[in-house]
């Protein structure tokens, strides 16, 4: 399958940028990070960003985000077992990364990522104690502000 046989959206490119920029060791941490990014941003910073999150035993899970990650794996841009880009993924990222310059939410994600850069374990810790997550029951959809 060719890299370009799938249609990639800005959601895919955002995930590629985050994976290229920060050392996410687990998919769970990436889901939790995007949850924190959404709840810490205003609705005006994230037009078109509508992820649905569900409470899990270890934080949050989004089937939307997981679907985008699966697309990247299917296209050969993301390694099968690790949360790292393949050489083809880095090549694709360098071709399309400039598209994110015009969006506010990726910029917000990068600022938040720099806050957690050296200790991404704090992301999982902060999500676990977040008020929205504490109010939700395991397996249930989390009502996000401003949606």
């Amino acid at each position: 399958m060719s890299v370009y046989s799938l249609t990639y959206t800005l959601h895919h490119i955002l995930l590629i940028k985050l994976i290229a920029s920060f050392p996410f060791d687990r998919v769970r941490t990436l889901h939790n990070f995007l949850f924190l990014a959404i709840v810490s941003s205003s609705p005006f910073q994230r037009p078109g960003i509508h992820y649905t999150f569900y409470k899990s035993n270890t934080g949050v899970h989004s089937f939307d985000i997981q679907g985008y990650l699966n697309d990247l794996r299917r296209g050969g841009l993301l390694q099968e077992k690790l949360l790292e880009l393949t050489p083809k993924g880095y090549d694709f990222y360098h071709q399309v990364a400039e598209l994110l310059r015009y969006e506010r939410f990726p910029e917000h994600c990068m600022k938040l990522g720099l806050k957690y850069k050296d200790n991404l374990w704090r992301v999982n810790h902060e999500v676990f104690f977040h008020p929205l997550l504490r109010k939700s029951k395991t397996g249930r959809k989390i009502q996000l502000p401003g949606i």
Side-chain angles (χ1 to χ4, degrees), residues 10 12 20 28 31 36 39 41 44 46-47 56 58-59 62 66 73 99 105 108 111 116-117 124 132 138 140 147:
L10 288 177
H12 293 93
R28 167 181 66 122
H31 286 249
L36 287 178
V39 298
S41 66
F44 300 110
R46 52 184 155 88
S56 70
T58 58
S62 171
Q66 193 61 46
R73 281 198 176 95
L99 295 173
F105 186 69
H108 174 71
K111 287 178 185 176
Y116 294 111
K117 185 176 184 172
N124 297 327
L132 285 176
T138 302
R140 298 282 175 99
I147 293 180

Side-chain angles (χ1 to χ4, degrees), residues 24-118:
F24 290 101
D25 57 343
R26 297 180 184 153
V27 173
R28 167 181 66 122
T29 306
L30 183 60
H31 286 249
N32 289 341
F33 175 83
L34 285 167
F35 173 78
L36 287 178
I38 285 178
V39 298
S40 67
S41 66
S42 73
F44 300 110
Q45 283 181 307
R46 52 184 155 88
I49 304 292
H50 300 290
Y51 301 131
T52 304
F53 290 98
Y54 295 89
K55 181 178 180 179
S56 70
N57 291 331
T58 58
V60 297
H61 181 80
S62 171
F63 292 103
D64 305 320
I65 295 168
Q66 193 61 46
Y68 296 132
L69 290 173
N70 292 342
D71 290 345
L72 294 175
R73 281 198 176 95
R74 207 171 328 129
L77 303 178
L78 196 60
Q79 292 185 13
E80 283 299 318
K81 301 292 180 190
L82 301 173
L83 200 55
E84 294 178 9
L85 296 177
T86 62
K88 199 184 298 186
Y90 279 108
D91 182 48
F92 181 74
Y93 168 66
H94 291 298
Q95 292 176 23
V96 297
E98 285 296 312
L99 295 173
L100 294 178
R101 181 181 356 157
Y102 305 105
E103 298 293 324
R104 292 183 201 155
F105 186 69
E107 181 183 336
H108 174 71
C109 287
M110 294 307 291
K111 287 178 185 176
L112 189 65
L114 290 174
K115 175 182 169 185
Y116 294 111
K117 185 176 184 172
D118 294 328

